[in-house]
């Protein structure tokens, strides 16, 4: 079997995601007949069927489902390699650090100070984004290293744990539950999280649910606090976020059966950057310092 081409993988991913040759062809900006021929040629090269086709229906075979996952990974790796090469070849390369604002447990300033003392340190660009945006930034080569809160998809990443801390429930100070010193998830039945999920499930965590469609707006911290103060939602922030944002109209209470939050530093497994290694070393040094 000759080597597969990136073009073939891109064609297959489009068909597999659309499950319709016409829509996939439109998405790729090509005619349908050559796309169909390309997929048949790919199946011949692999020696296995990837799609089940009828006049009305296109579906992935079990083999196709496996190949789709790996094809996406391969395309991401190619795109990331190109992005990292362009960044490394820029006139003034630097270190791009991705994180969600306020989700560094207050450690980032100290990490940056320690990092600048490292011989391999480069100028740092901090990339702030919404929850769940940091891992794609690493995979696509738009970031070199990231600070992540659990859970996250660690495929293709190396990680080191910096901190594990409890999550609390944030609720309106006038909520009857605020009178209790300690809660459990069952106490939160009937209340909802900022994304509309039932609070008593304790699952406001992206790895447990289907991601929101692209372009879906994310609430920022100020908006979430406003909704909590109005009694519209409750929320599960890490203890470090609660400490940094005391508000008179919000009560923070421990929840006995709520899973803790873990902060990690993460970077691509195939990274050989001395600057990344220096940042990880600085982050671990700060984490180990009381």
């Amino acid at each position: 079997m000759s080597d597969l081409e990136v073009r073939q993988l891109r064609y297959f991913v489009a068909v597999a995601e659309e499950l319709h040759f016409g829509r996939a062809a439109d998405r790729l900006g090509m005619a349908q007949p050559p796309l169909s021929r390309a997929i048949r040629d790919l199946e011949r090269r692999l020696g296995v069927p990837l799609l089940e086709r009828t006049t009305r229906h296109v579906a992935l075979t079990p083999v196709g489902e496996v190949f789709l996952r790996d094809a996406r990974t391969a395309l991401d790796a190619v795109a990331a390699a190109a992005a990292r090469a362009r960044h490394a070849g820029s006139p003034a390369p630097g270190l791009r650090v991705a994180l969600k604002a306020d989700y560094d447990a207050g450690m980032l300033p100290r990490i940056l100070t320690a990092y600048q003392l490292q011989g391999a340190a480069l100028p740092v660009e901090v990339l702030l984004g919404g929850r769940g945006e940091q891992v794609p930034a690493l995979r696509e080569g738009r970031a070199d290293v990231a600070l992540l809160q659990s859970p996250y998809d660690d495929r293709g990443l190396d990680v080191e744990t910096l901190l594990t801390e409890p999550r609390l429930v944030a609720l309106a100070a006038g909520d009857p539950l605020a009178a209790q010193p300690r809660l459990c998830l069952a106490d939160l039945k009937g209340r909802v999280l900022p994304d509309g999920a039932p609070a008593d499930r304790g699952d406001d965590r992206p790895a447990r649910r289907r991601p929101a469609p692209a372009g879906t707006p994310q609430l920022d911290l100020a908006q979430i606090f406003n909704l909590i103060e109005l009694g519209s939602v409750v929320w599960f922030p890490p203890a470090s976020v609660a400490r940094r944002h005391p508000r008179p109209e919000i009560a923070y209470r421990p929840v006995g059966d709520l899973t803790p939050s873990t902060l990690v530093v993460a970077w691509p497994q195939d990274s050989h950057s001395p600057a990344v290694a220096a940042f990880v070393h600085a982050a671990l040094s700060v984490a180990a310092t009381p």
Side-chain angles (χ1 to χ4, degrees):
M1 181 182 70
S2 61
D3 292 341
L4 298 180
E5 300 177 6
V6 172
R7 172 183 57 85
Q8 292 174 302
L9 298 181
R10 189 169 67 251
Y11 287 0
F12 171 72
V13 168
V15 174
E17 290 180 346
E18 299 291 343
L19 293 178
H20 190 283
F21 277 89
R23 289 195 298 269
D26 289 342
R27 169 173 155 181
L28 293 165
M30 63 187 299
Q32 182 174 332
L35 175 59
S36 299
R37 289 194 297 270
I39 298 300
R40 287 196 298 270
D41 180 62
L42 175 61
E43 290 176 316
R44 282 195 298 269
R45 289 190 179 199
L46 294 174
V48 291
L50 301 173
L51 299 169
E52 295 176 352
R53 307 165 178 82
T54 69
T55 55
R56 299 181 179 179
H57 181 69
V58 176
L60 287 167
T61 65
V63 174
E65 291 178 357
V66 172
F67 189 69
L68 173 60
R69 180 195 63 205
D70 293 338
R72 285 170 169 160
T73 300
L75 290 174
D76 286 345
V78 170
R84 287 195 292 267
R86 286 191 293 269
H87 178 67
S90 64
L95 184 77
R96 300 162 299 174
V97 181
L99 72 153
K100 176 173 168 49
D102 287 298
Y103 276 72
D104 63 339
M107 297 173 65
L108 183 59
R110 290 184 294 144
I111 292 173
L112 294 179
T113 298
Y115 171 69
Q116 294 302 334
L117 299 176
Q118 304 286 318
L122 294 173
V124 172
E125 179 185 3
V126 176
L127 307 176
L128 298 179
R131 185 176 67 174
E133 295 179 4
Q134 291 70 44
V135 169
L138 289 176
R139 290 211 177 100
E140 295 166 12
R142 294 182 284 109
D144 304 300
V145 65
L147 297 180
L148 307 175
Q149 289 279 347
S150 61
Y152 47 85
D153 182 353
D154 64 355
R155 290 176 299 165
L157 302 180
D158 281 327
V159 301
E160 289 283 355
T161 297
L162 301 179
L163 173 71
T164 298
E165 59 180 336
R167 290 189 296 160
L168 308 176
V169 62
L171 65 167
D175 190 308
L177 291 179
Q180 301 185 33
R182 188 175 184 84
L183 302 169
C184 63
L185 286 173
D187 295 325
L188 300 173
K189 186 174 179 60
R191 291 167 172 80
V192 298
L193 299 167
D195 64 359
D200 58 321
R201 295 181 185 173
D203 62 353
D204 68 327
R205 317 189 75 184
R208 298 185 184 178
R209 295 199 309 278
R210 180 177 296 180
T216 300
Q218 294 197 36
L219 297 175
D220 62 28
L221 206 54
Q223 292 170 319
I224 291 175
F225 282 145
N226 287 338
L227 290 173
I228 295 170
E229 290 171 343
L230 293 171
S232 302
V233 303
V234 300
W235 183 45
F236 297 138
S240 57
V241 173
R243 285 195 302 270
R244 296 169 70 184
H245 295 279
R247 295 171 75 104
E249 299 302 319
I250 292 180
Y252 296 103
R253 296 290 181 267
V255 181
D257 49 351
L258 188 61
T259 54
S261 173
T262 300
L263 177 69
V264 305
V265 58
W267 65 99
Q269 285 178 346
D270 57 358
S271 173
H272 302 288
S273 165
V276 168
F279 184 90
V280 172
H281 180 268
L284 292 173
S285 297
V286 168
T289 303

